Amino acid sequence: MYELVIRGGEVVDGSGLPSYRADIGIRGGRISRIGRIKERGREELDARGLVVAPGFIDGHTHMDAQVAWDPLGTCSCWHGVTTAIMGNCGFTLAPCRPDEKHLVLRNLERAEDIPAEAMAAGIDWTWETYAQYLDALEGWRKGINYAGYVGHSALRTYAMGERAFSEPATADDLVTMKRELSNALHAGAIGFTTSRTRNHATPDGSPVASRVAAWSEVRELVGVMSELGAGVFEIASEDTGRDPERIRDYLNRLRDLAVETGVPVTWGMFSSRAVPDHWRQFFALLDETARAGGRMFAQVHSRAISVLLSFETSLPFDGLPEWGPLRALPLAEQRAALRDQTLRTRLIAAANRMDSARAVGAEARRPDYEWLFLMEQAVGPHRSIASIARERDVDPVEAMIQLALERDLRCFFVQPLSNGQDDIVLEMMRHPRSVVTFSDSGAHVSQIMDSSLQTHVLAYWVRERKALTLEEGVRLLTLEPASAWGLHDRGLLREGLAADLVVFDPDRVAPLMPEVVDDLPAGARRLRQKATGFAASIVNGGVVLRDGEHTGAHPGRVLRGPLAAAALR
């Protein structure tokens, strides 16, 4: 008997081929039959008029900490994600001795905007090695699947302690890091990650541990994967600026690393309004590397990467002396105070005098009001604050205050950091050597909300813009990331493959408006965003969500890398 039969759905199988109508029978966590099924299943799901597709795969998350306290995998699960890859940018919770966890938290707290108090309250630190972390992960309830890299910053702090934040590694340090990396890969890590970007800093503004490493150290560690014949290398790229020589030097090093080690290399790339074609030389490197015998792929987004500003979270003006006392008040008291036009005049003057102090990562920065937008609905496009200010014949800061007061101070302003031009976003998405991913789920919890990048593909690029067919959009979210990260039994609907599926209404699927909630451990705050249009999410044959609501099931698994998988066979 089938444990679950999905009846009469329009099957978009992930391959990009045309859809077709069929039933799908699931048994033992795998797809047992696709076609017309006469037998009744133990559980039935009516998918008539709906699309049945592989579960979506997000290759760039930071769920390493959140999975310890959130068994469902929010917000990713609400947007059709059934597998999340974590441990990106060099940040993992292992290896780490329990009495040195403050070193790991230092790497994560500012760089990825994960509150230290939430991690301290929400994580029962029972491991030291990466293998032990994966074993702990096995024991936690999981609504979705997780695969994980091991991170460079964690390897450095494990081998070097406090020295990791200020010193080059010694030969003995490197021996320790290489040993722990090898052990992690054998235990099931899918690769190794690092960060060399100034966007990743500690709370005191110092570099995270991996940024202190010499390139030779990175090469040595990637070499471990080369020797073992397993793993993907992910890097948060160096800051080359616009200097052609620095850019070419960095690109050459990346190409040579991929070619000489045979290890797949991946990195994120986004467009910039200031230098619109900067990304093209990085994408040219993808083909150049392939011609030289290496493998490299870019990770791209489906829209602008934006900070969500609000009176409930943060504003660009919070650090100004004139704004500080107001922003320290409870929201209701801020609302009352802002009715005072004299105060508003002082606040506006201060905001217009603020300098352009450099923000780190996704922190709020001085606005360009032509490129600061009012979020009135989730998908966009959005009206700029500058245009609204002109309509009202007021200063842009006054317009922000008016708009917020009209909405009880519960509204969002969208500040794009990159990818502000749709035509370039689409071109990057369509590139044959790019993968649409990079939600950063689990990180930047009060700053950005990109867990909805998958539903944005379906609602905006497929339905509204018609720039992609439904089959193309689904392929971007399923088979392509599954292939890039070697998840060969997922990302495609075929008999015998893992039964990770989503069932959705193509006319309704979309992200909902984000909201601010205090649901992290210790009452810490985060942005949360749900979706509409999903009838069901199925993970390893178990129905996790029906109509967006949790069924109580936790069928998610740890997807271990190739060395661990081979050892189990």
Side-chain angles (χ1 to χ4, degrees):
M1 177 182 240
Y2 295 110
E3 291 151 12
L4 173 65
V5 176
I6 305 169
R7 294 206 178 271
E10 191 70 19
V11 176
V12 178
D13 66 9
S15 69
L17 294 172
S19 64
Y20 57 92
R21 190 167 301 172
D23 305 328
I24 297 179
I26 294 169
R27 184 185 291 123
R30 295 197 168 265
I31 299 170
S32 182
R33 172 86 173 122
I34 302 176
R36 182 171 295 180
I37 298 175
K38 296 179 180 179
E39 309 97 293
R40 296 288 297 174
R42 187 175 302 135
E43 186 176 359
E44 296 261 333
L45 200 158
D46 183 359
R48 288 174 296 178
L50 303 175
V51 166
V52 183
F56 305 153
I57 296 168
D58 192 341
H60 195 110
T61 81
H62 292 277
M63 298 289 280
D64 311 66
Q66 185 177 321
V67 68
W69 64 73
D70 175 8
L72 195 51
T74 62
C75 301
S76 294
C77 66
W78 291 320
H79 298 273
V81 170
T82 56
T83 296
I85 296 174
M86 54 192 187
N88 286 278
C89 303
F91 303 126
T92 51
L93 301 189
C96 176
R97 300 170 188 87
D99 63 350
E100 292 183 335
K101 62 185 180 183
H102 62 285
L103 301 177
V104 164
L105 301 189
R106 189 189 308 172
N107 283 315
L108 285 166
E109 184 179 359
R110 184 181 185 190
E112 298 299 341
D113 184 37
I114 305 174
E117 65 272 24
M119 291 188 282
I123 301 172
D124 180 13
W125 214 285
T126 60
W127 59 85
E128 177 174 327
T129 67
Y130 192 83
Q132 291 167 343
Y133 171 76
L134 287 183
D135 289 343
L137 178 59
E138 290 274 13
W140 295 333
R141 294 180 302 160
K142 297 172 290 296
I144 63 175
N145 304 311
Y146 295 94
Y149 297 101
V150 63
H152 192 180
S153 283
L155 289 170
R156 279 195 126 240
T157 53
Y158 186 78
M160 302 173 65
E162 284 284 351
R163 292 186 299 112
F165 295 96
S166 58
E167 298 180 13
T170 66
D172 287 343
D173 295 332
L174 199 50
V175 167
T176 300
M177 283 189 269
K178 291 169 75 172
R179 181 194 69 225
E180 292 302 315
L181 173 54
S182 177
N183 290 343
L185 292 164
H186 279 99
I190 65 164
F192 162 70
T193 67
T194 194
S195 171
R196 299 177 71 80
T197 172
R198 64 182 180 180
N199 286 324
H200 290 150
T202 64
D204 68 0
S206 302
V208 296
S210 66
R211 287 178 54 198
V212 182
W215 183 254
S216 59
E217 179 179 317
V218 174
R219 284 185 59 89
E220 287 269 353
L221 292 168
V222 175
V224 173
M225 292 190 286
S226 179
E227 292 169 7
L228 294 173
V232 174
F233 173 53
E234 183 268 341
I235 180 170
S237 293
E238 285 185 15
D239 298 298
T240 58
R242 304 179 192 179
D243 183 337
E245 291 185 7
R246 288 178 60 194
I247 294 170
R248 191 63 248 178
D249 171 68
Y250 176 59
L251 296 183
N252 287 346
R253 281 185 280 128
L254 281 179
R255 179 201 60 210
D256 293 348
L257 185 67
V259 172
E260 292 167 9
T261 65
V263 174
V265 174
T266 183
W267 32 262
M269 178 50 60
F270 318 106
S271 66
S272 163
R273 284 189 292 119
V275 194
D277 290 326
H278 179 73
W279 64 277
R280 294 188 185 279
Q281 57 199 315
F282 285 79
F283 271 55
L285 178 70
L286 302 174
D287 292 328
E288 181 183 330
T289 301
R291 288 193 298 270
R295 183 169 168 231
M296 187 181 291
F297 62 95
Q299 300 176 34
V300 302
H301 211 289
S302 65
R303 63 177 182 219
I305 295 179
S306 304
V307 180
L308 294 188
L309 306 171
S310 75
F311 279 84
E312 292 182 273
T313 53
S314 63
L315 294 170
F317 324 119
D318 290 348
L320 299 177
E322 296 85 351
W323 281 75
L326 171 78
R327 299 292 286 130
L329 297 173
L331 204 63
E333 294 181 34
Q334 291 186 55
R335 190 184 308 118
L338 286 168
R339 302 290 180 190
D340 181 347
Q341 189 59 55
T342 301
L343 172 63
R344 277 158 65 169
T345 301
R346 291 202 306 271
L347 295 175
I348 293 165
N352 287 327
R353 288 195 306 268
M354 74 179 291
D355 61 25
S356 299
R358 194 181 74 81
V360 172
E363 294 173 351
R365 57 212 65 206
R366 181 177 180 170
D368 172 350
Y369 295 102
E370 297 289 354
W371 284 89
L372 183 67
F373 302 91
L374 175 66
M375 187 181 229
E376 296 175 276
Q377 43 90 18
V379 174
H382 310 296
R383 294 185 294 159
S384 74
I385 297 304
S387 67
I388 295 171
R390 286 191 290 269
E391 290 171 6
R392 298 184 178 208
D393 194 24
V394 296
D395 184 275
V397 183
E398 171 67 18
M400 290 178 69
I401 294 172
Q402 290 180 8
L403 291 164
L405 286 172
E406 289 163 10
R407 292 158 177 81
D408 207 29
L409 296 193
R410 299 185 187 278
C411 70
F412 291 107
F413 304 103
V414 181
Q415 186 176 43
L417 304 180
S418 58
N419 270 16
Q421 296 156 289
D422 264 3
D423 56 338
I424 294 178
V425 171
L426 181 62
E427 186 177 354
M428 295 170 82
M429 290 169 62
R430 285 186 172 278
H431 193 281
R433 301 192 196 277
S434 73
V435 178
V436 178
T437 184
F438 225 100
S439 75
D440 264 347
S441 285
H444 306 296
V445 298
S446 68
Q447 298 169 328
I448 66 175
M449 176 38 64
D450 282 347
S451 298
S452 56
L453 77 86
Q454 289 83 12
T455 43
H456 186 83
V457 169
L458 299 175
Y460 183 68
W461 291 113
V462 172
R463 189 171 64 240
E464 183 174 330
R465 285 284 304 272
K466 295 181 173 53
L468 300 170
T469 67
L470 181 57
E471 290 86 352
E472 289 171 333
V474 167
R475 179 186 166 97
L476 291 180
L477 305 175
T478 57
L479 180 61
E480 292 191 5
S483 300
W485 279 280
L487 304 175
H488 300 307
D489 62 345
R490 295 167 207 275
L492 196 61
L493 298 186
R494 293 288 186 272
E495 293 174 1
L497 298 189
D500 292 351
L501 307 94
V502 288
V503 182
F504 62 88
D505 183 343
D507 296 325
R508 292 180 52 244
V509 65
L512 295 172
M513 284 288 285
E515 58 185 337
V516 178
V517 294
D518 299 321
D519 68 349
L520 294 182
R525 179 164 292 183
R526 69 164 174 157
L527 296 164
R528 185 174 70 184
Q529 187 175 28
K530 294 186 177 183
T532 187
F534 285 97
S537 289
I538 298 151
V539 177
N540 299 308
V543 181
V544 178
L545 297 172
R546 275 187 180 268
D547 299 319
E549 297 298 324
H550 188 207
T551 64
H554 295 95
R557 296 177 185 169
V558 178
L559 305 183
R560 296 188 185 241
L563 295 184
L568 292 174
R569 287 197 290 268

